[in-house]
Amino acid sequence: MRHLKKGRKLGRSPSHRHALLRALAASLFRHESIVTTGPKAKFVQGFAERLITVAKRAGTDKTRTVAVRRLVASRLQDEAMAKKVCEELAVRFANRVGGYTRIFKLAEVRKGDAGSKVRLELTEIRRPEPETKDKKDKKGKTDKADTTDSKKNKGPKAAAARG
């Protein structure tokens, strides 16, 4: 019987499982959204949320900043992502109490074995700002989309409309 044996095995050895956990968490923090299977997403969700909570402790106690960053880096095994978690994500989620990630089920399945796919993402994603269409690009030329005449549209409907 498997009483009091919490956690997921995912059909892997313990060392492979820990490596998978760290790699998925680092990818989640790097890209802020990953597509994976449902059990893997549930497996990494708790780990990632605990890392963000630990990183938030440094914000409340400035004397522990180095210790907290080292603790996150030791669990994540990626210095760059540990820095991002402590400096960027902890500040972004400072006013949120838990619930830093969410899982969306996707309609598509994996081709090889028809495994269900999900999207695991941070709740407050920094999306790149949409670029505003400028009249001139870097070389000073006008944008072709702005200079086209609406009467130059081709096709049967446009020809019928012109007469």
Side-chain angles (χ1 to χ4, degrees), residues 19 21 31 37 46 48-49 52 68 70 73 94 101 104 106 112 115 119 130 143 149:
L21 181 68
H31 303 290
T37 62
E49 291 199 7
I52 294 172
V68 167
R70 286 179 180 169
T101 60
F104 290 113
L106 301 177
R119 178 181 308 278
D143 192 11
D149 190 10

Side-chain angles (χ1 to χ4, degrees), residues 108-115 117:
E108 58 197 34
V109 294
R110 206 166 44 189
K111 286 185 179 179
D113 60 354
K117 289 167 61 173

Side-chain angles (χ1 to χ4, degrees), residues 21-130:
L21 181 68
R22 289 173 172 158
L24 284 174
S27 293
L28 175 64
F29 294 140
R30 179 174 291 114
H31 303 290
E32 299 189 3
S33 175
I34 58 173
V35 175
T36 183
T37 62
K40 286 181 191 175
K42 288 178 183 177
F43 179 60
V44 76
Q45 186 176 25
F47 179 72
E49 291 199 7
R50 277 191 294 272
L51 283 179
I52 294 172
T53 302
V54 167
K56 282 174 57 175
R57 266 194 270 158
T60 59
D61 188 6
K62 295 296 181 186
T63 60
R64 299 197 52 177
T65 304
V66 175
V68 167
R69 180 174 292 180
R70 286 179 180 169
L71 181 62
V72 171
S74 71
R75 291 184 183 170
L76 199 55
Q77 296 292 313
D78 189 345
E79 284 290 330
M81 289 305 103
K83 182 178 179 180
K84 181 176 180 178
V85 170
C86 291
E87 291 179 359
E88 194 176 316
L89 297 180
V91 173
R92 192 185 313 175
F93 293 114
N95 296 328
R96 183 181 286 266
V97 182
Y100 311 118
T101 60
R102 63 179 158 222
I103 296 176
F104 290 113
K105 291 184 180 180
L106 301 177
E108 58 197 34
V109 294
R110 206 166 44 189
K111 286 185 179 179
D113 60 354
S116 63
K117 289 167 61 173
V118 299
R119 178 181 308 278
L120 175 66
E121 63 181 25
L122 299 176
T123 53
E124 297 176 12
I125 293 182
R126 290 262 166 105
R127 301 202 191 279
E129 295 289 327

Side-chain angles (χ1 to χ4, degrees), residues 143-158:
D143 192 11
K144 290 181 181 179
D146 294 336
T147 59
T148 57
D149 190 10
S150 62
K151 291 183 180 180
K152 293 183 182 178
N153 292 336
K154 296 181 180 178
K157 289 184 180 178

Side-chain angles (χ1 to χ4, degrees), residues 1-9:
M1 289 181 274
R2 222 175 154 255
H3 297 299
L4 297 175
K5 305 270 190 203
K6 74 175 198 177
R8 298 174 189 272
K9 294 200 179 245

